Amino acid sequence: MLINLHFKFALFLVIGLFSAVFPQWQQISGSGGADIRCLAISDTNIFAGTNDNGIFLSTNNGLNWTAVNTGLPNNPIFALAVCGTNIIAAGASGVFLSTNNGTSWTAKNSGLTSTPVNALVVNGANIFAGTQDGGIFRSTNNGTKWTAVNTGIPTNSSVYSLAVHDSNIFAGTYGEGTFLSTNNGKSWTTVCRSLTTPCVFALATKDSTVFAGTMGDGIYRSTDNGKSWVVANDGFPGNPTHIPASTTVHALTVSGENIFAGTVDGLFVSSNNGTNWVAVKGDINANETIDALAAKGANIFAGTYGGGICRSTNNGTNWARVNAGLFAMSAINNLTVIDSTLFAGTVIGGVVLSNDSSTSWIDANTGLTNFCIRALAFTGKNIYAGTNSGVFLSTNNGTRWTTINTGLTCTPVYAITSLGTKIFAGKDSGAFLSTNNGANWSAVNTGLPLNSPVLGLTVHSTNIFAGTFSEGIFRSTNNGTSWTPVNSGLPLPYPTILAFVVSGTSIFAGTSGGVFLSTDDGLNWSAAHTGLGYAVRAFTLNGTNIFAGTTHGIFLSSNNGTSWKGVNTNIMANTEVRALAVRGTNLFAGTYGDGVWMRPLSEMISRVEDKTDKMPSYFSLAQNYPNPFNPSTRIEYTLPVASKTSVKVYSVTGELVATVVDGFQPAGTHTAAFSGEGLPSGLYIYRINAGEFTQSRKMILLK
């Protein structure tokens, strides 16, 4: 069971499409996997609950998925359960019942005084619901009426996992340990005296053994109904036998003699009752977070964070992604068009591609061992993908990838560009060059600053330009043999250089401080962001029209950067756009958290609707930048009126990590700095409270 704190993930508002007579952006389904929170199997039907897009149903063993959300609110789904012919769904808005295999849903919250609902389990005619801060509720009539059953459980407990074994019901909580009821929930007793952690996020039973997945301590096992527990972590990553593994377990399931454990460090299987564990091989990334598991016969389904669903049809021996039809609000780092194929590189879901009008997407991850795609580039028939663990090459349009890291240290590759037969890669440690299609790389860093990552690369004529994190722009006129700074006109301190685009004799640099333009091959730069007051992450061209993707939507310049106007039509106005590409007559935008969007070019080039005001007209919390970050990042927010404002950072377990802002602030756009120095790598949540406005977003610290 995933850690279902109600503030764990930012909720993304899905706004209905406007009537076709108005200019509009359309969200493209299936872009890069999905955040799967829970899974349930009912006969031949498989149900998947997601973080952003409700519930999906597959009737053909996961080969295809269809959204089944009629009657559901647009909130995360945390738990699913089968009760006879009925399907029960629980989430941020309580409990919902479907009596027709998900065709429609009805709220069933009478008597339920606490939400979100984090866990569900069925015991005969009884349904138990574990809630956030409200303990456990029971229904004996398919959810029509709920009654609190918390005798013996501390007041306001948060229950994240439930499991049934014979007449015993086990409940795992956050901070209070594990509880057992032997009388159908009438009373509960604590059964966690031997556990070193009180945070239990997953429970499963096999024969007479109970398994508990914990936060940060791996798995424990009990053979006496919870009276005593022993560590069951042999084989978990980086830990010797019988020492608790420092991993968090989100999900457990049993299939025959095998027990599967979904963790933040991948998927593990034990065939000897938890004595030893082995990492699952195949299409599941070694470091991928597994949030949900379900099994039926030889079929096992694993729901991932951002990578959709993986399936094994042979009891866990082999795995493959089965995401056809899954609608995803995933994070997109880059877009590129090769021939007529649109490729999208995602933050955690690898590469996906679309060959049609983008109504369907196909995973293109075979051979990839890292699914964080930071750069995509192509030359001839070769496609290069820069990832957190180096560069991968595909020579067959993304069908298969091979690692090409000889000479590269395995650190993130942020940018890739080509000059003739020469391929350049930008990394934390500067620039690298390959003259043989990536087979070998060598450092070409003479003149580049030692401690400033190269985040952007472009070519103009025979010159190569490198944009850095804090040292400005550098140019090489000799194929990377040496570099010289070309920062005349850039403000001090130098902004972070995030993107480049070349239009004729003009070079545009997208930075954390807007757009800068050079018309003399980089020797001099001038500000070119009138009407555009945000960090610029991406560019694309359509003739003489330049589109810029920013932390607050998309802007268009039709006069070589002299001025910019928003082309956001409300829905994109407060969205971070990380990637742009033109295919045919449409502009595609890849966002951080909201997947891929599409809009006809004719709507924007012929008419531009939005105005840019000096003072913001609405509250907003932007995505932090950079993200992922190490160790520092910036958080931007806007206040239309002066407000008492707080910005706080939380761990995924709800622990307050830092208070970044706390006090009365004037109206306007503000930026606050946050440092993750001393914190472990992982997912964090930052939240703003300003007046009555509240919003949360996720950020990732990668060390």
Side-chain angles (χ1 to χ4, degrees):
M1 179 65 62
L2 181 59
I3 310 169
N4 293 318
L5 298 179
H6 63 278
F7 48 80
K8 178 182 175 185
F9 291 106
L11 302 181
F12 296 102
L13 180 62
V14 179
I15 304 175
L17 295 177
F18 296 112
S19 170
V21 299
F22 295 105
Q24 58 186 318
W25 284 92
Q26 293 181 334
Q27 195 168 34
I28 306 302
S29 64
S31 50
D35 293 347
I36 308 298
R37 305 295 296 273
C38 51
L39 292 162
I41 300 176
S42 175
D43 293 328
T44 59
N45 298 318
I46 308 163
F47 293 87
T50 73
N51 187 58
D52 297 306
N53 304 109
I55 297 174
F56 287 79
L57 166 65
S58 175
T59 59
N60 58 4
N61 209 34
L63 293 179
N64 301 94
W65 298 85
T66 304
V68 286
N69 292 322
T70 300
L72 288 176
N74 182 41
N75 281 329
I77 304 298
F78 297 150
L80 289 164
V82 178
C83 185
T85 59
N86 298 325
I87 312 298
I88 313 294
S93 299
V95 177
F96 292 81
L97 170 70
S98 176
T99 60
N100 51 15
N101 281 323
T103 301
S104 60
W105 300 85
T106 305
K108 295 291 182 180
N109 290 325
S110 178
L112 195 65
T113 58
S114 178
T115 56
V117 174
N118 302 319
L120 292 169
V121 77
V122 175
N123 186 26
N126 300 289
I127 307 169
F128 293 86
T131 71
Q132 181 75 32
D133 299 328
I136 300 173
F137 289 76
R138 182 182 64 193
S139 174
T140 59
N141 51 12
N142 283 322
T144 301
K145 181 70 176 179
W146 295 89
T147 304
V149 285
N150 289 321
T151 300
I153 294 179
T155 303
N156 300 327
S157 291
S158 293
V159 178
Y160 295 116
S161 53
L162 292 164
V164 171
H165 177 59
D166 294 332
S167 60
N168 299 318
I169 306 169
F170 294 88
T173 71
Y174 175 72
E176 306 290 349
T178 305
F179 292 83
L180 167 66
S181 175
T182 59
N183 54 12
N184 213 31
K186 292 180 181 178
S187 61
W188 302 82
T189 56
T190 182
V191 287
C192 60
R193 293 182 179 87
S194 301
L195 289 176
T196 61
T197 174
C199 302
V200 177
F201 297 134
L203 288 166
T205 62
K206 181 181 181 295
D207 301 326
S208 59
T209 303
V210 183
F211 296 88
T214 70
M215 181 186 72
D217 277 340
I219 295 178
Y220 286 75
R221 179 180 61 200
S222 174
T223 57
D224 54 9
N225 282 328
K227 293 179 182 178
S228 61
W229 298 83
V230 295
V231 176
N233 286 327
D234 184 15
F236 270 35
N239 294 276
T241 303
H242 304 312
I243 295 178
S246 56
T247 190
T248 294
V249 179
H250 287 173
L252 292 166
T253 197
V254 175
S255 176
E257 292 302 312
N258 291 331
I259 308 158
F260 292 88
T263 79
V264 296
D265 296 304
L267 181 60
F268 294 81
V269 61
S270 174
S271 57
N272 54 10
N273 217 37
T275 301
N276 304 98
W277 298 84
V278 177
V280 165
K281 306 292 184 182
D283 209 17
I284 295 180
N285 188 4
N287 297 315
E288 191 164 14
T289 296
I290 310 298
D291 287 337
L293 290 167
K296 184 178 182 180
N299 295 305
I300 307 161
F301 296 86
T304 73
Y305 171 58
I309 296 175
C310 289
R311 181 190 66 184
S312 173
T313 58
N314 52 12
N315 207 29
T317 302
N318 303 102
W319 295 81
R321 305 264 168 184
V322 285
N323 287 332
L326 275 179
F327 184 92
M329 284 190 165
S330 57
I332 310 297
N333 268 340
N334 30 66
L335 293 169
T336 192
V337 176
I338 304 173
D339 296 329
S340 60
T341 301
L342 177 64
F343 287 81
T346 74
V347 172
I348 52 179
V351 178
V352 292
L353 62 86
S354 175
N355 289 310
D356 54 21
S357 58
S358 304
T359 57
S360 63
W361 293 80
I362 303 169
D363 280 331
N365 290 326
T366 300
L368 285 178
T369 58
N370 190 290
F371 293 140
C372 180
I373 310 299
R374 294 181 176 271
L376 281 174
F378 69 95
T379 174
K381 295 296 183 181
N382 295 332
I383 308 172
Y384 298 88
T387 76
N388 274 352
S389 56
V391 181
F392 291 80
L393 168 67
S394 176
T395 59
N396 50 14
N397 215 40
T399 301
R400 178 170 290 277
W401 300 85
T402 55
T403 306
I404 50 169
N405 285 330
T406 301
L408 284 176
T409 54
C410 288
T411 54
V413 173
Y414 299 112
I416 300 174
T417 195
S418 63
L419 177 59
T421 59
K422 299 176 176 62
I423 311 297
F424 294 86
K427 295 166 53 65
D428 280 329
S429 49
F432 285 74
L433 166 66
S434 175
T435 58
N436 54 7
N437 292 323
N440 301 93
W441 299 85
S442 57
V444 284
N445 292 323
T446 301
L448 287 176
L450 294 177
N451 298 314
S452 188
V454 174
L455 302 180
L457 289 167
T458 196
V459 170
H460 182 235
S461 184
T462 59
N463 297 327
I464 310 154
F465 292 84
T468 69
F469 178 71
S470 59
E471 303 290 340
I473 299 172
F474 291 76
R475 185 182 68 178
S476 175
T477 59
N478 52 12
N479 290 319
T481 301
S482 62
W483 301 81
T484 56
V486 284
N487 293 320
S488 178
L490 292 181
L492 289 173
Y494 293 131
T496 299
I497 311 300
L498 304 170
F500 288 108
V501 72
V502 175
S503 177
T505 59
S506 299
I507 308 171
F508 292 87
T511 78
S512 56
V515 177
F516 290 84
L517 166 66
S518 175
T519 57
D520 56 4
D521 209 27
L523 294 178
N524 296 280
W525 299 86
S526 59
H529 43 249
T530 300
L532 191 162
Y534 306 110
V536 175
R537 292 292 309 263
F539 290 111
T540 196
L541 301 173
N542 179 250
T544 59
N545 299 291
I546 307 166
F547 292 92
T550 78
T551 53
H552 287 72
I554 299 172
F555 291 77
L556 165 67
S557 177
S558 299
N559 52 15
N560 208 44
T562 301
S563 62
W564 300 81
K565 294 183 179 180
V567 287
N568 297 310
T569 316
N570 300 324
I571 198 167
M572 297 286 288
N574 195 34
T575 301
E576 179 177 345
V577 176
R578 291 191 169 190
L580 292 168
V582 172
R583 185 175 70 174
T585 59
N586 296 313
L587 174 66
F588 293 85
T591 70
Y592 186 80
D594 284 330
V596 179
W597 295 73
M598 178 183 73
R599 189 177 181 189
L601 289 163
S602 59
E603 290 183 354
M604 296 171 286
I605 295 173
S606 61
R607 52 183 293 188
V608 179
E609 306 88 346
D610 293 346
K611 295 182 180 180
T612 302
D613 299 321
K614 293 182 179 180
M615 188 62 66
S617 58
Y618 50 82
F619 288 97
S620 71
L621 177 66
Q623 187 63 50
N624 66 299
Y625 185 81
N627 190 46
F629 65 97
N630 178 26
S632 299
T633 189
R634 296 180 298 280
I635 299 171
E636 183 181 292
Y637 55 96
T638 61
L639 308 174
V641 296
S643 308
K644 188 180 187 306
T645 305
S646 71
V647 177
K648 297 182 179 181
V649 179
Y650 298 88
S651 69
V652 293
T653 62
E655 179 184 1
L656 178 63
V657 171
T659 298
V660 181
V661 175
D662 188 17
F664 195 83
Q665 298 220 309
T669 299
H670 302 268
T671 300
F674 169 68
S675 174
E677 192 74 40
L679 295 175
S681 296
L683 182 69
Y684 292 85
I685 310 302
Y686 61 101
R687 166 178 281 193
I688 185 173
N689 288 281
E692 297 182 355
F693 173 74
T694 298
Q695 187 176 1
S696 299
R697 286 186 180 267
K698 357 174 214 191
M699 60 183 177
I700 300 173
L701 174 61
L702 281 179
K703 294 187 175 180

